[in-house]
Every structure is written in structure tokens, then in C-alpha cells.
Amino acid sequence: MPDQTDIHIIYHSSDAPMSKWQEWLNRLDPRIRLVGLDDPAAQTAEVMITWSPPYGAIAALPHLKGVLSLAQGVDHLLDDPSLPRDITVGRLIDPFMSQSMAEWVMLAILKQHRDEAAYAEAATRKDWVCFEPRIPADYTVSVMGIGAIGGHVAEKVANLGFNVLGWSRTEKTISGVTSLTGTDGFAHCLRQADYVVSVLPLTDDTRDIYDAAAFQNMKSGAYFINCGRGLQVVEDDLIAALDQGHLSGACLDVFRTEPLPAEHPLWVHDKVTVWPHVSAQTSPITAAKQVIASIMAIRDGKPPVNPVDISRGY
Ligand code: GLV
């Protein structure tokens, strides 16, 4: 039963049931009442927490002061042409999610590095075959996007002993990682890497950034790993680079269209591993504390915990 102490927060996400967020937010603040977009209380709500709201929904809410992405990325919000450019936007930077993404990237690299598929195949033939061991320091991993999340990924990969390059808009200082910037830095990272790992946010500058030219710029035999955004990859160009034998394979968590359509050739490509966008899933259990803090900050007219610069795109 709502009473006047309730704080109505709009919830819109196809990702997790509202009841799960309600439960974990209420453990920290019993006043929070999540409401759907069509609930009359949405008309007076000041904050929305969301993944991929319908275009126009945010602009139509008269009292909305801010929106929190229930994800690390915000492209699903900023893509809306009607998004008021002066609205406050926040995103998640959650140590659990950053670690989860690092685990996924390390798994993708190590499966290749340790010949996991070849050993699994040999085991089906009861074949006790042994391949030459590889030394991580002989291999270069380029992590494209070494901000708050990619930087953590790069550091973890460096801890495995690989030679790690990192590319970002501005120079970063990360233990074990050589930081590069600019178009020359981008090309250098692609040319040097045995593994190209993309953790980039989707912006006007990164849309379609992995096209035929980028794939050709990669070292022959390079392996491509993407947990950034699907719209950064020209998928036909990726398939061509794999079919030509220029790239040795790809491990993809994100796609231009999600869910990946059943008839999409990436599902059945023998050099591609498809994951259903799960490299860093949001957990209300770990994120609730920062979501509450951001909700309260926005209601007070202050920046959320992880503010987004709308003009920059992340
Ligand atoms: C997931 O895609 C995220 O942005 O966190």
C-alpha cells in the first residue's frame, strides 16, 4: 500500500523482472517503489532506471530529472533522438561486472592459447596428443577501450603474463599495460595483436570501427574478441576476413542485432564462438547500493555515482 513516504522510481527493462530490483533496492531503502512506464505514478517520478526504454518515453515524462542505465553502456539511451540533452544520465561501473567481463575475456583468450578445442576434439578420439606449450609473454593482446571497465580487463590479462597494449581516447596509466591513443595508436594496436579484444563504448566514433580495412590491418592469424557493442563490427567484413583465413577466429558476445537471428551465418561459422551478451550481466545484488546512491543524488540535483557525458557518448 503506497503512502506519502514512497519514492516512485520508473523501471523499464526487458532484462530482469521488476520484482528482483524491487527486492534488492528495498533491502537498502524501503521507501523505493518501482513503477512501470504506464503507471500513473510515473508522471510525477523524478528518476528512471532502465535498459533500452522505448524512444520518446523519457522525453514524455514531465518531472524526470535523470535516467540510470542498468548497464555499463548508455547507447540504448543516447540513441533516442528525443532524449532531452540536459537530462542527467548515469551508468553502472560495478566491480562485479568489470570482473565478470575480465573473466570472460580471459576465458576467450585462454581457450585459444591452451588449444582447448583441439584437446577436446582429440579426447573424442581417445587420442593422447600433446601440442607445443605457448609462453604468454610471446603473445600480444590489444585491449581496445581501457577506461573504467576495459582498464580492469587489460590489467587482469596483463597479470596472466601476456604483453598488453591498450587503446583509449586519452592516455591511461595501468600496471602492465602500454597505453596508446589516436588513429596511429589504433592501427598499431591492431597490427601488433595476436588477440584483439574490444571493450569500446558505442559512440559516433566507434560505430563500424571494425570494417574490412581494420580487419586487414590486423596481424595474419589474429583472434578477434568483442564484448563492446555489435554495431562496431561490420559483420560481413568479419566473416570475409575469417573465410580468407586472415583471422584465425572470433569470440563474440555482442551483435548488430540481438538476439542474433536464427538464420545469421555467425551462428554456424566454424571459426566463431557466439555468446548471448552475457560477458558482464547486471546483478541487482551487487549494483543496488550504487543505484540507490545515484537515485538520491539525482533527486537532490546532484550527479549520479557514475555520470555520463552525453556529448562524449559514455
Ligand atoms: C552490457 O551490455 C552493458 O552495457 O553493461
Side-chain angles (χ1 to χ4, degrees):
M1 178 71 177
D3 65 39
Q4 71 247 45
T5 63
D6 283 346
I7 299 173
H8 290 115
I9 302 297
I10 303 162
Y11 177 86
H12 185 278
S13 169
S14 50
D15 221 31
M18 177 145 84
S19 56
K20 196 157 175 215
W21 277 100
Q22 182 74 68
E23 178 194 342
W24 284 92
L25 294 175
N26 280 157
R27 286 186 188 214
L28 300 172
D29 191 327
R31 297 169 303 167
I32 302 285
R33 288 279 162 269
L34 297 182
V35 296
L37 272 172
D38 51 4
D39 190 301
Q43 292 305 310
T44 54
E46 292 177 319
V47 184
M48 177 179 197
I49 63 174
T50 186
W51 165 259
S52 224
Y55 280 6
I58 293 171
L61 292 161
H63 292 284
L64 204 66
K65 291 182 174 171
V67 189
L68 292 175
S69 168
L70 292 178
Q72 303 162 114
V74 285
D75 43 292
H76 60 107
L77 299 173
L78 307 192
D79 275 358
D80 177 352
S82 68
L83 182 82
R85 295 284 125 176
D86 56 352
I87 198 156
T88 299
V89 177
R91 66 177 181 134
L92 293 181
I93 299 176
D94 176 357
F96 161 73
M97 293 170 81
S98 304
Q99 177 58 19
S100 188
M101 189 166 272
E103 283 168 11
W104 183 86
V105 168
M106 290 190 284
L107 178 66
I109 293 173
L110 290 177
K111 276 172 73 114
Q112 289 302 111
H113 184 71
R114 297 305 305 257
D115 291 306
E116 192 263 351
Y119 280 117
E121 193 278 326
T124 63
R125 290 180 281 106
K126 302 185 178 150
D127 184 359
W128 189 269
V129 64
C130 302
F131 305 115
E132 280 284 307
R134 298 195 180 101
I135 299 163
D138 289 343
Y139 292 86
T140 296
V141 178
S142 288
V143 180
M144 315 306 283
I146 49 166
I149 298 153
H152 180 78
V153 171
E155 192 171 1
K156 292 286 169 192
V157 173
N159 285 344
L160 294 175
F162 290 97
N163 175 35
V164 179
L165 307 180
W167 184 72
S168 50
R169 204 175 51 90
T170 54
E171 198 167 333
K172 301 283 188 298
T173 306
I174 301 167
S175 163
V177 179
T178 304
S179 165
L180 292 117
T181 59
T183 40
D184 288 351
F186 184 76
H188 183 81
C189 282
L190 297 191
R191 266 198 311 274
Q192 297 301 313
D194 299 286
Y195 297 92
V196 175
V197 176
S198 190
V199 191
L200 290 168
L202 181 65
T203 66
D204 289 344
D205 292 335
T206 66
R207 195 175 296 263
D208 296 329
I209 197 168
Y210 301 107
D211 57 6
F215 290 122
Q216 280 316 308
N217 207 8
M218 291 180 195
K219 204 187 221 183
S220 173
Y223 190 84
F224 181 63
I225 298 170
N226 191 15
C227 53
R229 284 289 185 262
L231 287 171
Q232 291 156 345
V233 178
V234 181
E235 289 169 345
D236 288 345
D237 293 352
L238 171 62
I239 292 171
L242 292 164
D243 289 345
Q244 287 152 12
H246 182 62
L247 295 188
S248 59
C251 184
L252 309 172
D253 187 45
V254 288
F255 302 88
R256 295 190 82 88
T257 305
E258 295 180 9
L260 188 63
E263 64 285 1
H264 200 289
L266 286 171
W267 273 120
V268 291
H269 200 290
D270 60 355
K271 292 183 178 166
V272 176
T273 305
V274 169
W275 287 71
H277 201 144
V278 289
S279 59
Q281 291 170 278
T282 303
S283 167
I285 302 170
T286 59
K289 192 165 169 208
Q290 102 172 239
V291 168
I292 293 273
S294 289
I295 287 172
M296 297 312 163
I298 292 172
R299 293 180 76 236
D300 285 351
K302 298 190 185 123
V305 178
N306 289 297
V308 167
D309 176 343
I310 296 185
S311 61
R312 196 179 62 171
Y314 59 95

